[in-house]
Structures are given as structure tokens and as C-alpha cells.
């Protein structure tokens, strides 16, 4: 081949490579700016965990044993996975406190559960609005007046991917406030009752219903502190709230162990479940795309496993999906970030000390 022609081909190839790289960089930058980059991350991680659900379906099971002396609280208990969690706890003959924003919705759900043939257990409906710290405090005060112990607290209430930026009445982005901060506050407020319910060989349990989204989450302290609408990305905000739940699970378990409290904390990913949490996504109206996903009943199974299984009695702080322990992102184990997040969380929910109510 002619040398000059070879040089021309090499030059054209290099120019083509440069153009391709530029296209990739520009496209990535555009995606990142418009949240499409985050969406791509979610599609990838969703596929990975969907495959995990498929290959581990045989592990996703739990025996519902009778526990008539147990009292459990389920936030977000009137919709989605929460309904199935309530149903299974009632089947265990527990007293179940359905904590929900609209009590009439909770009453309707309990009526439907009873009509389905489940007659055991006792159900009580209490109002809580996880978007309001005042409501969380009022709920906790009601529970403290009516109960002297709680055995299981399931922090389940959540929102996912709201299409527009909104702040709660306390001034925080709503996913951060509802998914994470409200449950951080509630756990602290109810800690005396959880302490009373725990014993050395039968600890009280806190279950933080988190998500595989923690794998793509980051803790952006500037954003959390400033809550700027200009930097809002609904996808990264959701992942951040779920990573914070997973991280606080590890932190709380270490603190409880240091204080010799008979309280265990677990984080649980229910799986890729077809619920109305996806209503704000492009999959919201495409039921065919969710056909192979878990049902709410299947999603509730790992949560119940974390709440009652005896094999994990001495393994607090772990992350569970499909009733097996999974690893968490490396960032979740970073004690420097854990400490900073914990201190900021105390400040944001206006607590001087997480254990101030003990």
C-alpha cells in the first residue's frame, strides 16, 4: 500500500476516534445534566437485581409462626408492599399498628384483609404523615401513651422519583425527608419502647426498607444541607435517601451494641416489585414491562424475614434481599461519612442526642 495513502487512512481513523470520544463525552454530559445519566444507572442496577430476584426466588420464603405477644409498627402500611407486610404480621397473630397518612385508607385495608379470611392478629390504625416532623412526633407520643413496649418497627413509608421538586414543611426535599429523616426521628422517639421490648435472646428489631438504589447513591452533603432546587435530580435524590437508610442501619447497630441494647437493625431491599411507586417513571403505564417483576406479596417476604427469622438474631446491621445477606456499597461502611451523616441528621430533625429519650 502507498505510504501516503496509509497515513491518510490512519489520520481518518484517528479523527473518527476523536469524534466518537467527543460524542460520548458530550452525550454523557447531557445525560448527566438532564438526569438521563442517573436513569441509565437505575436501568442497569434494576436489571442486575431483577436477575437476582429470578435466580434466588427459591430463597425468598419465610414460615409465619405464631407470635401473639409481639407488637409491630408498619409505616406506610395502607398501600403497596406495606399492606402485604401488615397481612403477614397479622397471620403471625401479632398486634399490628398500621401507621398511615390517611386512617380511612388503613381501615379499608384491614377490612379487606379480614374479608380475605385472615382473622387472627389485632390491627390498630394510627395517623402519621412522614412529610411532617410534627406529625411523626405526635404519632410517637400517641404510641407512648398507649403502649409501654414495641417489638418490631418497620420503617417502610416512601416516595420515589417525584416529577417536580418539592420541600416539606420542615424545609427538606421530600424524598430525603420522608424516606430517611422521618424514620431516623421516629426510631429515636420510639427507642425507649423498643428497648423495653427486647431481651438478650429475643431482641427488638428495626427494619429499614431501603432499595438497591443505594448502589448508585451518593451522600452529597452540600446538597443535603442547602436543599437547592437548582441541583435537584429526582433519581440521585432517591438513591441518596436509600443509601442514607442503609448507612444509618450500620451506624445504629454499632451504637446499640456499644450500649448493650437488645435492639437489632436491618436494612432490606424488597426486590424489583410492581407497585405504584413507579407511577412517576416511564414504566408507570407499561404493565407489560413489569410482568416478570415480584408481586407485593413476594416483596414483603424479605421484610418479614428480617422481622422474625431466628437465624439472624445475632447478625444486626446486615442488608437483606430475597431472605439472604448481600453486600452493601463500600461507601456505606465509611465511618467518617457515617459520623458526618449521623450528626447532620440529628441537626436536621432537631435532636440533641439520638438516645435522649432513653
Amino acid at each position: 500500500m502507498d505510504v501516503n495513502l496509509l497515513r491518510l487512512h490512519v489520520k481518518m481513523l484517528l479523527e473518527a476516534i476523536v469524534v466518537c470520544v467527543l460524542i460520548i463525552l458530550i452525550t454523557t454530559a447531557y445525560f448527566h445534566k438532564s438526569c438521563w445519566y442517573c436513569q441509565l444507572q437505575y436501568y442497569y442496577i434494576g436489571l442486575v437485581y431483577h436477575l437476582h430476584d429470578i435466580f434466588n426466588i427459591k430463597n425468598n420464603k419465610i414460615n409465619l409462626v405464631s407470635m401473639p405477644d409481639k407488637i409491630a409498627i408498619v409505616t406506610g402500611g395502607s398501600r403497596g408492599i406495606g399492606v402485604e407486610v401488615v397481612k403477614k404480621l397479622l397471620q403471625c397473630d401479632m398486634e399490628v399498628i398500621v401507621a398511615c397518612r390517611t386512617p380511612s385508607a388503613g381501615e379499608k385495608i384491614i377490612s379487606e384483609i379480614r374479608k380475605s379470611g385472615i382473622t387472627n392478629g389485632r390491627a390498630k390504625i394510627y395517623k402519621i404523615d412522614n412529610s411532617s416532623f410534627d406529625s411523626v412526633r405526635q404519632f410517637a407520643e400517641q404510641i407512648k401513651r398507649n403502649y409501654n413496649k414495641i417489638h418490631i418497627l418497620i420503617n417502610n413509608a416512601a416516595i420515589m422519583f417525584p416529577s417536580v421538586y418539592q420541600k416539606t414543611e420542615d424545609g427538606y426535599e421530600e424524598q430525603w425527608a420522608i424516606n430517611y429523616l422521618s424514620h431516623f426521628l421516629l426510631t429515636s422517639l420510639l427507642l425507649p419502647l423498643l428497648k423495653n421490648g427486647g431481651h438478650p435472646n429475643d431482641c427488638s428489631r428495626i427494619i429499614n426498607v431501603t432499595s438497591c438504589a443505594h448502589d448508585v447513591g451518593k451522600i452529597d452533603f452540600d446538597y443535603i444541607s442547602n436543599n437547592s432546587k437548582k441541583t435537584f435530580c429526582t433519581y440521585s435524590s432517591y438513591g441518596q435517601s436509600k443509601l442514607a437508610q442503609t448507612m444509618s442501619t450500620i451506624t445504629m447497630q454499632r451504637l446499640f451494641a456499644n450500649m448493650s441494647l437488645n435492639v437489632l437493625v436491618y436494612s432490606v431491599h424488597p426486590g424489583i416489585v410492581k407497585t405504584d411507586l413507579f407511577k412517576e417513571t416511564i414504566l408507570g403505564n407499561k404493565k407489560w414491562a413489569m410482568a416478570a417483576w415480584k408481586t407485593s406479596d413476594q416483596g414483603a417476604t424479605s421484610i418479614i424475614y428480617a422481622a422474625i427469622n431466628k437465624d439472624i438474631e445475632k447478625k444486626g446491621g446486615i442488608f437483606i434481599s430475597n431472605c439472604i445477606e448481600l453486600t452493601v456499597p463500600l461507601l456505606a461502611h465509611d465511618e467518617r461519612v457515617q459520623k458526618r451523616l449521623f450528626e447532620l441528621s440529628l441537626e436536621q430533625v432537631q435532636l440533641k442526642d439520638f438516645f435522649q429519650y432513653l
Side-chain angles (χ1 to χ4, degrees):
M1 179 181 291
D2 183 85
V3 174
N4 291 330
L5 184 60
L6 179 60
R7 287 176 179 172
L8 178 61
H9 285 170
V10 172
K11 181 181 179 182
M12 291 173 63
L13 179 60
L14 290 174
E15 287 176 346
I17 292 172
V18 170
V19 170
C20 288
V21 170
L22 286 173
I23 290 173
I24 292 171
L25 290 174
I26 292 170
T27 304
T28 301
Y30 173 77
F31 281 166
H32 186 74
K33 181 179 179 181
S34 64
C35 275
W36 277 100
Y37 178 72
C38 295
Q39 289 191 57
L40 290 175
Q41 287 182 302
Y42 274 100
Y43 292 141
Y44 168 74
I45 205 68
L47 175 61
V48 170
Y49 276 85
H50 176 52
L51 292 174
H52 185 272
D53 290 344
I54 293 172
F55 292 127
N56 290 280
I57 192 68
K58 64 182 183 300
N59 298 312
N60 194 53
K61 56 187 178 182
I62 182 69
N63 292 323
L64 300 178
V65 297
S66 180
M67 297 181 169
D69 297 327
K70 299 283 188 183
I71 302 168
I73 295 175
V74 184
T75 68
S78 64
R79 54 181 287 198
I81 295 173
V83 173
E84 299 302 325
V85 170
V86 168
K87 186 184 297 184
K88 290 179 186 296
L89 293 174
L90 288 172
Q91 287 177 290
C92 292
D93 205 22
M94 294 187 192
E95 180 159 334
V96 184
I97 297 167
V98 181
C100 53
R101 187 172 56 183
T102 309
S104 59
E107 297 286 358
K108 181 181 178 182
I109 288 299
I110 296 304
S111 176
E112 291 174 357
I113 289 174
R114 294 312 188 194
K115 288 178 182 178
S116 74
I118 298 172
T119 58
N120 45 338
R122 292 87 59 208
K124 301 291 178 65
I125 313 297
Y126 282 78
K127 178 180 174 61
I128 186 174
D129 181 351
N130 284 76
S131 69
S132 164
F133 295 162
D134 279 346
S135 178
V136 172
R137 291 180 186 278
Q138 289 168 16
F139 167 79
E141 285 304 314
Q142 284 185 297
I143 297 300
K144 287 177 178 179
R145 282 198 297 269
N146 297 333
Y147 296 89
N148 60 18
K149 60 184 175 182
I150 295 293
H151 303 95
I152 300 167
L153 170 61
I154 299 178
N155 292 321
N156 168 71
I159 60 169
M160 185 173 77
F161 306 156
S163 57
V164 296
Y165 176 88
Q166 289 189 18
K167 281 187 177 182
T168 64
E169 64 182 46
D170 300 288
Y172 301 107
E173 189 272 322
E174 58 181 345
Q175 291 181 103
W176 181 248
I178 294 171
N179 300 355
Y180 172 62
L181 286 180
S182 69
H183 289 125
F184 181 91
L185 174 60
L186 181 61
T187 301
S188 174
L189 294 170
L190 294 181
L191 205 50
L193 274 61
L194 288 160
K195 177 186 177 183
N196 291 345
H199 303 283
N201 294 314
D202 188 16
C203 294
S204 295
R205 298 191 184 189
I206 301 163
I207 291 86
N208 291 320
V209 182
T210 180
S211 165
C212 62
H214 67 193
D215 280 5
V216 295
K218 296 179 176 62
I219 303 297
D220 183 345
F221 286 104
D222 289 336
Y223 171 70
I224 296 170
S225 300
N226 299 323
N227 281 283
S228 172
K229 182 178 180 179
K230 292 181 180 179
T231 58
F232 174 68
C233 168
T234 190
Y235 303 99
S236 61
S237 292
Y238 179 76
Q240 182 165 248
S241 71
K242 291 302 175 178
L243 177 59
Q245 279 189 294
T246 301
M247 187 172 287
S248 67
T249 296
I250 298 169
T251 304
M252 287 181 192
Q253 187 59 63
R254 184 173 62 249
L255 293 174
F256 293 167
N258 290 343
M259 296 184 67
S260 298
L261 294 180
N262 296 313
V263 181
L264 299 169
V265 199
Y266 303 94
S267 57
V268 178
H269 166 56
I272 307 300
V273 182
K274 42 192 171 190
T275 70
D276 62 359
L277 275 180
F278 286 91
K279 65 183 179 182
E280 299 285 358
T281 74
I282 64 172
L283 298 174
N285 296 317
K286 297 179 175 60
K287 293 185 178 180
W288 58 267
M290 305 184 195
W293 293 7
K294 277 183 173 180
T295 63
S296 292
D297 176 75
Q298 291 171 321
T301 300
S302 283
I303 298 171
I304 299 299
Y305 174 87
I308 70 173
N309 185 271
K310 288 295 183 182
D311 293 339
I312 57 172
E313 178 67 32
K314 302 299 181 181
K315 298 184 69 177
I318 63 173
F319 171 59
I320 296 166
S321 186
N322 291 309
C323 301
I324 56 177
E325 181 181 354
L326 297 182
T327 58
V328 298
L330 287 176
L331 182 59
H333 289 292
D334 188 322
E335 292 191 15
R336 181 185 61 82
V337 179
Q338 287 176 0
K339 184 175 184 293
R340 187 177 176 188
L341 174 64
F342 199 81
E343 290 174 350
L344 178 61
S345 302
L346 289 172
E347 178 184 328
Q348 291 186 329
V349 300
Q350 298 180 2
L351 289 174
K352 294 179 180 178
D353 182 347
F354 191 74
F355 300 99
Q356 68 189 61
Y357 297 102
L358 284 181

